[in-house]
Amino acid sequence: MKEKIAITRMKGEEKSTADDWVASEGPLTITLNRQEIVTFLCTPGHLEDLAVGYLLGEGLVKSVSLIEEIHFFKTEGILAVQVKSVNKVAMKTLGKRYLTTGCGSGSSFYHLMDEHMIDTVPARSKAQLRDLQAAMKMLQNNSPLFACTGGVHACALFSGEDMLVLREDIGRHNAADKVLGWFYRQNLAPEQTCFLTTGRISSEILLKVAKAAIPILVSRSAPTSLAVDIARRINLTLVGFLRGKRANVYAGEERIFA
Amino acid sequence: MKEKIAITRMKGEEKSTADDWVASEGPLTITLNRQEIVTFLCTPGHLEDLAVGYLLGEGLVKSVSLIEEIHFFKTEGILAVQVKSVNKVAMKTLGKRYLTTGCGSGSSFYHLMDEHMIDTVPARSKAQLRDLQAAMKMLQNNSPLFACTGGVHACALFSGEDMLVLREDIGRHNAADKVLGWFYRQNLAPEQTCFLTTGRISSEILLKVAKAAIPILVSRSAPTSLAVDIARRINLTLVGFLRGKRANVYAGEERIFA
């Protein structure tokens, strides 16, 4: 997941050579029932989770129980997923999913995305701010690839104080897909879980988490306007800028207790 | 480019309501000679530059001189680009561009990407570390959307100490495309320019800059292994972790003077 390379370090007028670590990046192509779907540029590791998270998140496969086989052809860089049936509607609109008639306000956009694909998240789960703070600390203290390279994002799934899974990747979306793929394959109930990320929350990340019916999404960074808008419509709790004892709650505030 | 929303601020056990700014995100679909090419989720503003940067960066249009008309259909969220001719080879492989037979080392991948699309960057330009430091400071001090929302990346093009253009976007790639689109439309010579970004350097960002024959790429963040690998092969100078007086030079070290 990382490579050691020789670099030149500069500090003011000093130049020296040193060994340094950089995060690995490589292409991975996903096929679904032998049809090419997407090529990621991603960090190696947990590629099956990445594929499952992506395929279910995009709605191309409706349930993890439909997956019959996953095979990684390492030499070819192809991860082949075989399923009982694909979601034909989603396959048809693949690559055209975001087409909309309402730019700016984005109304048509999330009508398409949420009313057809995303249910309102049930309100019953709750979280304490101090648990989220502890979780964010744990996320940051358990990201070895970031500690070593400074060049990746980390995502994790928590249940209360317990970290269920943590994944790092050079791409924000890939790290999210790796966590969500793991989650889908475990057949866990989403109600008591909470999704943490080091990265910014765009509508795409938010929709991935919403698709998994995870009720609480927490970042140490900022959300976008569209992410906030969708979160409010589907009643997903969105917390941003969780740093030290501070946090901004952008949506679903009733789930967060001081 | 930003929206004011009411949020709940938490600080330890205190809860209060406040107004806060978030960066705008909306979908934008690019069509090329009436064919749908891609839909971005991006920050509004400089959308023509975004389209030009993307289309030339992906090689779908070979030269900015081929562009006949760009029209933004605001209600539909569609930016329609009309060109004299498209690059048929690139159009054919659109969406399959990254397919490769060599995952991990990525050798086939950048054979495809660089030998066919990217020339070796000429060696003659040079930069002083102190100019790059001043440029990074200027980039950070002139990012109003980041200052206000904390939720965007900024890219800029410099010539020596002069900032030619700066663009912000919720997406790292979009910010790069907006700067490069501006660059292509100005018909500037790339030799003495230097591309700065606040974001991580993946192979995609590096290839966009290389395509424009800009010889020096500087980030305050980390590069990936593949970005370093490609930079070394095509002789593009890659500087990362430029923070204060320190910097790491990953490739093309002969262009950087203390």
Short mmCIF file of all heavy atoms in Angstrom, two decimals, chain A residues 95-116:
data_model
loop_
_atom_site.label_atom_id
_atom_site.label_comp_id
_atom_site.label_asym_id
_atom_site.label_seq_id
_atom_site.Cartn_x
_atom_site.Cartn_y
_atom_site.Cartn_z
N GLY A 95 -23.32 6.11 -15.90
CA GLY A 95 -22.58 7.18 -16.57
C GLY A 95 -23.47 8.35 -16.93
O GLY A 95 -23.00 9.43 -17.24
N LYS A 96 -24.80 8.14 -16.87
CA LYS A 96 -25.71 9.25 -17.14
C LYS A 96 -26.50 9.58 -15.89
O LYS A 96 -27.46 10.33 -15.91
CB LYS A 96 -26.68 8.88 -18.26
CG LYS A 96 -25.98 8.64 -19.56
CD LYS A 96 -26.95 8.51 -20.72
CE LYS A 96 -26.15 8.31 -22.00
NZ LYS A 96 -26.98 8.07 -23.16
N ARG A 97 -26.11 8.95 -14.79
CA ARG A 97 -26.86 9.04 -13.55
C ARG A 97 -27.07 10.47 -13.10
O ARG A 97 -28.09 10.82 -12.53
CB ARG A 97 -26.12 8.24 -12.46
CG ARG A 97 -26.93 7.94 -11.22
CD ARG A 97 -27.97 6.90 -11.53
NE ARG A 97 -27.29 5.79 -12.19
CZ ARG A 97 -26.57 4.89 -11.54
NH1 ARG A 97 -26.46 4.94 -10.25
NH2 ARG A 97 -25.99 3.93 -12.19
N TYR A 98 -26.07 11.32 -13.33
CA TYR A 98 -26.13 12.65 -12.75
C TYR A 98 -26.80 13.67 -13.68
O TYR A 98 -26.92 14.82 -13.34
CB TYR A 98 -24.73 13.13 -12.39
CG TYR A 98 -24.10 12.27 -11.34
CD1 TYR A 98 -22.79 11.84 -11.48
CD2 TYR A 98 -24.82 11.85 -10.23
CE1 TYR A 98 -22.22 11.02 -10.54
CE2 TYR A 98 -24.25 11.03 -9.28
CZ TYR A 98 -22.95 10.62 -9.43
OH TYR A 98 -22.38 9.82 -8.50
N LEU A 99 -27.21 13.22 -14.84
CA LEU A 99 -27.86 14.15 -15.76
C LEU A 99 -29.12 14.73 -15.11
O LEU A 99 -29.89 14.03 -14.48
CB LEU A 99 -28.26 13.44 -17.05
CG LEU A 99 -28.77 14.39 -18.13
CD1 LEU A 99 -27.69 15.37 -18.54
CD2 LEU A 99 -29.26 13.62 -19.33
N THR A 100 -29.31 15.99 -15.28
CA THR A 100 -30.36 16.68 -14.54
C THR A 100 -30.89 17.82 -15.36
O THR A 100 -30.26 18.26 -16.31
CB THR A 100 -29.78 17.25 -13.24
OG1 THR A 100 -30.77 18.05 -12.63
CG2 THR A 100 -28.57 18.12 -13.51
N THR A 101 -32.02 18.31 -14.98
CA THR A 101 -32.52 19.51 -15.64
C THR A 101 -32.48 20.70 -14.70
O THR A 101 -33.00 21.76 -15.02
CB THR A 101 -33.96 19.31 -16.13
OG1 THR A 101 -34.75 18.90 -15.02
CG2 THR A 101 -34.01 18.26 -17.21
N GLY A 102 -31.90 20.54 -13.53
CA GLY A 102 -31.89 21.67 -12.60
C GLY A 102 -30.53 21.90 -11.97
O GLY A 102 -30.25 21.48 -10.87
N CYS A 103 -29.65 22.58 -12.69
CA CYS A 103 -28.34 22.91 -12.14
C CYS A 103 -28.50 24.00 -11.08
O CYS A 103 -29.52 24.66 -11.00
CB CYS A 103 -27.41 23.41 -13.24
SG CYS A 103 -25.71 23.58 -12.70
N GLY A 104 -27.50 24.17 -10.28
CA GLY A 104 -27.55 25.25 -9.28
C GLY A 104 -28.32 24.76 -8.07
O GLY A 104 -27.73 24.24 -7.14
N SER A 105 -29.63 24.90 -8.09
CA SER A 105 -30.40 24.41 -6.94
C SER A 105 -30.31 22.88 -6.88
O SER A 105 -30.45 22.30 -5.82
CB SER A 105 -31.86 24.82 -7.05
OG SER A 105 -32.55 23.93 -7.89
N GLY A 106 -30.11 22.26 -8.02
CA GLY A 106 -29.93 20.82 -8.03
C GLY A 106 -31.19 20.03 -7.72
O GLY A 106 -31.12 18.86 -7.39
N SER A 107 -32.35 20.65 -7.86
CA SER A 107 -33.57 19.98 -7.40
C SER A 107 -33.84 18.69 -8.18
O SER A 107 -34.07 17.65 -7.59
CB SER A 107 -34.76 20.93 -7.48
OG SER A 107 -34.90 21.38 -8.80
N SER A 108 -33.74 18.76 -9.49
CA SER A 108 -34.00 17.54 -10.26
C SER A 108 -32.98 16.48 -9.90
O SER A 108 -33.28 15.30 -9.83
CB SER A 108 -33.89 17.81 -11.76
OG SER A 108 -34.78 18.83 -12.11
N PHE A 109 -31.77 16.94 -9.69
CA PHE A 109 -30.69 16.03 -9.39
C PHE A 109 -31.01 15.15 -8.19
O PHE A 109 -30.96 13.94 -8.26
CB PHE A 109 -29.41 16.84 -9.13
CG PHE A 109 -28.30 16.02 -8.57
CD1 PHE A 109 -27.69 15.06 -9.35
CD2 PHE A 109 -27.86 16.22 -7.27
CE1 PHE A 109 -26.66 14.30 -8.83
CE2 PHE A 109 -26.83 15.48 -6.77
CZ PHE A 109 -26.23 14.52 -7.55
N TYR A 110 -31.36 15.78 -7.08
CA TYR A 110 -31.57 14.87 -5.95
C TYR A 110 -32.95 14.26 -5.93
O TYR A 110 -33.18 13.30 -5.26
CB TYR A 110 -31.16 15.46 -4.59
CG TYR A 110 -31.68 16.80 -4.22
CD1 TYR A 110 -33.01 16.99 -3.92
CD2 TYR A 110 -30.81 17.88 -4.10
CE1 TYR A 110 -33.47 18.22 -3.54
CE2 TYR A 110 -31.28 19.11 -3.74
CZ TYR A 110 -32.60 19.28 -3.46
OH TYR A 110 -33.06 20.50 -3.09
N HIS A 111 -33.88 14.79 -6.73
CA HIS A 111 -35.11 14.03 -6.92
C HIS A 111 -34.76 12.67 -7.52
O HIS A 111 -35.20 11.64 -7.06
CB HIS A 111 -36.07 14.77 -7.86
CG HIS A 111 -36.91 15.76 -7.13
ND1 HIS A 111 -37.73 15.40 -6.09
CD2 HIS A 111 -37.02 17.10 -7.25
CE1 HIS A 111 -38.32 16.49 -5.63
NE2 HIS A 111 -37.90 17.53 -6.29
N LEU A 112 -33.93 12.73 -8.55
CA LEU A 112 -33.51 11.50 -9.20
C LEU A 112 -32.77 10.60 -8.22
O LEU A 112 -33.01 9.40 -8.13
CB LEU A 112 -32.57 11.88 -10.35
CG LEU A 112 -32.22 10.78 -11.34
CD1 LEU A 112 -33.42 10.44 -12.18
CD2 LEU A 112 -31.08 11.24 -12.24
N MET A 113 -31.83 11.21 -7.50
CA MET A 113 -30.96 10.42 -6.64
C MET A 113 -31.68 9.91 -5.41
O MET A 113 -31.45 8.80 -4.98
CB MET A 113 -29.78 11.27 -6.18
CG MET A 113 -28.82 11.65 -7.28
SD MET A 113 -28.09 10.23 -8.13
CE MET A 113 -27.07 9.54 -6.81
N ASP A 114 -32.52 10.74 -4.80
CA ASP A 114 -32.99 10.27 -3.51
C ASP A 114 -34.37 9.66 -3.56
O ASP A 114 -34.57 8.57 -3.06
CB ASP A 114 -32.83 11.36 -2.42
CG ASP A 114 -34.02 12.23 -2.19
OD1 ASP A 114 -34.53 12.78 -3.16
OD2 ASP A 114 -34.44 12.38 -1.04
N GLU A 115 -35.31 10.28 -4.26
CA GLU A 115 -36.64 9.69 -4.23
C GLU A 115 -36.65 8.31 -4.88
O GLU A 115 -37.38 7.43 -4.47
CB GLU A 115 -37.66 10.62 -4.88
CG GLU A 115 -37.84 11.87 -4.03
CD GLU A 115 -38.96 12.77 -4.54
OE1 GLU A 115 -39.74 12.32 -5.39
OE2 GLU A 115 -39.02 13.91 -4.08
N HIS A 116 -35.82 8.12 -5.88
CA HIS A 116 -35.81 6.82 -6.55
C HIS A 116 -34.87 5.82 -5.88
O HIS A 116 -34.99 4.64 -6.07
CB HIS A 116 -35.39 6.97 -8.02
CG HIS A 116 -36.39 7.75 -8.81
ND1 HIS A 116 -36.39 7.81 -10.16
CD2 HIS A 116 -37.45 8.48 -8.41
CE1 HIS A 116 -37.39 8.57 -10.58
NE2 HIS A 116 -38.03 8.99 -9.54
#
